[in-house]
Amino acid sequence: MKDSNQLDGLAIEANGLVKTFKDNKAVDGIDLRVEAGTIYGILGPNGAGKTTTINMLATLMKPDAGEAKIFGYDVFKQPQIVRSLIGVTGQYASVDENLTATENLVIFARLLGLSRSAAKAKAADLLEEFGLTEAASRPLAKFSGGMRRRLDLAASLIAQPPLIFLDEPTTGLDPRTRNQMWATIRRMVKTGSTILLTTQYLDEADQLADRIAVIDHGRVVAEDTPDNLKISIGKESLMIKLKNKDEASVAIRVMKEFLGITARMIADDSINAPLETPDQAADVLTNLRAKSISIVEINLQKPTLDEVFLTLTGEAA
Amino acid sequence: MTTATLPISTLPVNGKIGLRQTIRNTLTMAYRALLKIKHTPDQLVDVLLQPILFTLMFTFIFGGAISGSIENYLPLLIPGILVQTIVSASLTTGVQLREDMEKGVFNRFKSLPMARIAPLAGALITDFVRYGIATSITFAMGFLLGYRPEAGALWVIAAGLLAMLSAWCVSWIFAFLGMIMRTAQSVQGVSFLILMPLTFMSNAFVPVETMPGFMQTIVRFNPVSHLVTAIRDMTNTGQIGPDFWLTLAGMAVIVLIFAPLTVNVYKRQA
């Protein structure tokens, strides 16, 4: 038996996880290695297998093949030990709609073994911390989406688990509430927790994660730090619409020769040029002007999940 | 971060769940079910209204035809209504269990290091509140209409407890249906199809002697008939007859079959 103080090294180690629903391979051989004390992002479109992966790691679902360890404990052979090391915040509010915020937290705390008074104190603390004190005795049916997510997150922190799963923590939230969630998640990791989060937004993974696994069709298609991933796909890109579509191939050649940029056609008359820095945009335009290539429209774009997938898998998300 | 979310779990990391924790978790889940009743009291509509409605309907429609007068019918009818009400109250167990398990909160229960059986066991315990309400209202309605059980109040209480215990045993059947069926609606539908013949093909409302031979056979084998007779014996004559023991035996058989089945399916899903 390990001492709980020695929870270092790898928080998650998964090899070859497979899960098939009828004839749909939701997860098709996923490997993950997550260092303790980091935020790890799983990035992918709807249906890529993100939630299924989390469900298997969180003991909610048995895989058809593969193995996984949480802090060295086998997820499928020692599920009860693993459950005492994790907190799960699901994509759909895993709190009780009919009860008040306080009642929800007290019940989870009691189930985790806290005494009646300790459970009440813990609930009050967490509600305060997540700015929900005023709504404490309101039934959840009257909560906004953001409040519900915050309560959900609070419920995952009752036992102060060393590993927390967050399944799409900000999907469906407005930008302001999303920023609050991000701040909360960053605070959590400062105190030493490891976080595995899934997201559909490159921006979110970039903001929060130390490492990102991009998954598609149940497979990891890329795994790296956000910076390296962005370098591989270009940080930003310049969309150029040409006046004369016959000049497109010339324009692409010019960018390759003078600037080393590999641009590609995205329509008959439009080119997408990935940039290292926004400064390069000026160079591109100057070079095109020097060749007398006329432009009708330009647009500086941040890479989207779509482009990540286009670059990594060769097909749209 | 004022409360210092430490990186180290406050839970003992041993993965074993003993009897004490199982009981504590079960009581917490029972408390949760009570809170749900408190916040949405409309889920008690069936146990509040059904005994009132059915007692009135059956008394005034069938009383004269079956027993010659209302006063003569009540000692026959009230135990019948009680059993029907309480068995249909136990049906709700399965429906609510299914509804509960479809909600996101069940995923959290499954991810907590708690006794797997607690959500099921807790719900079944809290159902005693429902059965208690149904029993009290049925006897109260009977009293209002002029029913005076000859055996006295203590026998009525004892009969009520027998009815509640039986409802709990029968609720395992519906809990099992709740586990194996996909939606709350289908649980409701199938349970109702079981419930109707079970309560009507019995001696609950009509004397057995008036039925054709094959039906008499069915009625005599129906455990509901034995429960009804046992309750009539207790409330009307203050006796514990063979039907009391047959009822207990029948209920024990139901629990012995359906409790392990239900727990098994539940554990595989949870």
Side-chain angles (χ1 to χ4, degrees):
Chain A
M1 186 89 11
K2 274 199 208 176
D3 182 40
S4 57
N5 285 308
Q6 296 175 332
L7 297 174
D8 47 8
L10 283 181
I12 302 176
E13 189 180 5
N15 289 311
L17 288 180
V18 175
K19 184 75 190 178
T20 310
F21 298 113
K22 292 198 177 136
D23 46 352
N24 167 33
K25 268 205 168 171
V27 172
D28 189 10
I30 281 189
D31 303 332
L32 286 177
R33 296 171 69 81
V34 178
E35 297 277 342
T38 63
I39 301 185
Y40 195 94
I42 295 183
L43 176 67
N46 268 330
K50 303 189 296 290
T51 300
T52 309
T53 304
I54 281 208
N55 281 346
M56 288 192 284
L57 292 173
T59 78
L60 297 177
M61 204 181 263
K62 282 208 164 71
D64 298 329
E67 51 178 29
K69 283 182 176 168
I70 302 288
F71 295 111
Y73 294 104
D74 192 303
V75 176
F76 312 114
K77 289 181 188 138
Q78 301 163 293
Q80 284 293 28
I81 294 180
V82 168
R83 285 179 193 126
S84 60
L85 297 170
I86 60 171
V88 189
T89 296
Q91 194 171 342
Y92 303 102
S94 25
V95 284
D96 216 316
E97 287 291 311
N98 299 316
L99 306 185
T100 68
T102 303
E103 286 165 351
N104 261 292
L105 294 181
V106 166
I107 284 173
F108 295 134
R110 295 281 290 149
L111 290 172
L112 285 163
L114 271 66
S115 72
R116 205 178 300 257
S117 55
K120 277 192 182 142
K122 188 84 202 170
D125 280 354
L126 283 168
L127 288 172
E128 161 119 46
E129 190 179 322
F130 283 83
L132 293 167
T133 305
E134 274 176 45
S137 54
R138 248 188 270 164
L140 256 53
K142 293 184 181 136
F143 269 40
S144 69
M147 288 161 79
R148 219 167 289 199
R149 291 289 173 91
R150 295 212 302 275
L151 180 68
D152 212 340
L153 203 51
S156 299
L157 300 181
I158 292 169
Q160 300 166 359
L163 171 62
I164 295 158
F165 294 102
L166 302 176
D167 195 6
E168 301 200 12
T170 65
T171 299
L173 296 186
D174 61 68
R176 191 169 145 257
T177 324
R178 171 175 300 177
N179 282 329
Q180 287 174 353
M181 278 298 270
W182 286 357
T184 309
I185 293 168
R186 286 197 191 97
R187 275 209 311 269
M188 278 156 55
V189 82
K190 269 196 192 132
T191 63
S193 296
T194 309
I195 294 173
L196 180 75
L197 68 88
T198 70
T199 179
Q200 302 188 38
Y201 311 114
L202 179 63
D203 187 26
E204 179 161 286
D206 183 21
Q207 287 278 337
L208 295 173
D210 299 306
R211 287 188 81 82
I212 299 175
V214 183
I215 72 169
D216 188 33
H217 294 112
R219 288 173 173 279
V220 177
V221 291
E223 204 269 356
D224 216 325
T225 62
D227 284 343
N228 286 344
L229 272 181
K230 280 191 296 183
I231 288 168
S232 73
I233 56 171
K235 272 181 184 144
E236 272 153 315
S237 61
L238 192 63
M239 200 280 292
I240 305 160
K241 191 172 179 182
L242 302 174
K243 193 172 183 184
N244 184 351
K245 63 182 178 185
D246 298 336
E247 291 171 344
S249 56
V250 183
I252 288 177
R253 206 176 59 233
V254 166
M255 284 187 242
K256 184 84 196 168
E257 269 174 30
F258 294 91
L259 301 165
I261 293 172
T262 312
R264 56 191 170 76
M265 308 271 297
I266 49 173
D268 256 5
D269 56 354
S270 298
I271 297 171
N272 182 296
L275 305 176
E276 280 301 312
T277 65
D279 279 345
Q280 276 189 319
D283 300 336
V284 169
L285 297 178
T286 318
N287 275 288
L288 292 183
R289 164 61 61 83
K291 296 283 172 193
S292 307
I293 298 173
S294 296
I295 296 165
V296 287
E297 193 183 322
I298 61 163
N299 205 339
L300 193 61
Q301 292 173 324
K302 290 197 174 247
T304 63
L305 184 55
D306 244 6
E307 281 162 320
V308 176
F309 278 89
L310 205 56
T311 314
L312 292 171
T313 67
E315 52 184 297
Chain B
M1 202 81 153
T2 48
T3 51
T5 309
L6 297 168
I8 292 149
S9 175
T10 53
L11 294 167
V13 183
N14 60 26
K16 288 192 190 73
I17 285 173
L19 184 64
R20 276 186 61 175
Q21 194 191 340
T22 305
I23 293 170
R24 213 176 45 208
N25 289 164
T26 300
L27 290 178
T28 304
M29 291 307 284
Y31 169 66
R32 166 176 175 267
L34 274 181
L35 283 175
K36 282 176 78 172
I37 292 180
K38 186 183 129 199
H39 288 295
T40 44
D42 39 317
Q43 57 178 298
L44 291 178
V45 158
D46 60 335
V47 292
L48 287 171
L49 293 186
Q50 192 181 327
I52 297 176
L53 191 68
F54 276 54
T55 313
L56 288 174
M57 272 190 344
F58 278 78
T59 306
F60 292 114
I61 295 172
F62 295 134
I66 293 174
S67 300
S69 75
I70 288 172
E71 289 75 45
N72 288 340
Y73 187 44
L74 282 172
L76 192 73
L77 175 71
I78 295 300
I81 294 278
L82 174 62
V83 170
Q84 194 209 25
T85 307
I86 214 156
V87 173
S88 58
S90 72
L91 177 155
T92 314
T93 303
V95 178
Q96 287 184 349
L97 214 52
R98 181 76 268 164
E99 271 176 4
D100 225 14
M101 290 179 70
E102 282 164 21
K103 286 182 188 150
V105 69
F106 239 78
N107 267 338
R108 186 180 296 282
F109 292 141
K110 286 191 226 164
S111 73
L112 292 179
M114 62 186 270
R116 306 279 87 190
I117 195 70
L120 180 63
L124 287 172
I125 288 181
T126 304
D127 275 339
F128 271 103
V129 173
R130 301 169 46 77
Y131 306 148
I133 292 172
T135 306
S136 317
I137 290 187
T138 309
F139 278 127
M141 268 313 285
F143 196 82
L144 279 178
L145 293 173
Y147 175 49
R148 298 290 178 269
E150 282 170 30
L154 284 180
W155 279 105
V156 168
I157 291 171
L161 290 176
L162 175 67
M164 288 163 67
L165 180 68
S166 304
W168 182 82
C169 296
V170 173
S171 73
W172 281 100
I173 301 178
F174 299 115
F176 176 68
L177 290 176
M179 290 299 139
I180 59 170
M181 310 208 73
R182 259 171 216 205
T183 65
Q185 283 95 325
S186 53
V187 177
Q188 175 105 42
V190 171
S191 302
F192 203 67
L193 282 180
I194 297 175
L195 187 74
M196 287 302 277
L198 203 63
T199 51
F200 277 96
M201 290 202 284
S202 75
N203 61 356
F205 308 110
V206 178
V208 194
E209 301 75 50
T210 61
M211 302 175 190
F214 76 94
M215 188 54 89
Q216 290 198 17
T217 314
I218 296 175
V219 169
R220 291 219 166 86
F221 276 98
N222 187 346
V224 167
S225 300
H226 296 295
L227 176 58
V228 173
T229 309
I231 292 175
R232 280 179 191 149
D233 287 348
M234 291 168 86
T235 53
N236 298 334
T237 57
Q239 278 176 359
I240 286 184
D243 286 285
F244 177 86
W245 302 109
L246 278 173
T247 300
L248 285 192
M251 293 306 160
V253 169
I254 290 177
V255 173
L256 284 176
I257 293 173
F258 283 95
L261 272 179
T262 311
V263 171
N264 209 327
V265 177
Y266 174 79
K267 280 195 168 166
R268 232 182 308 138
Q269 289 189 0

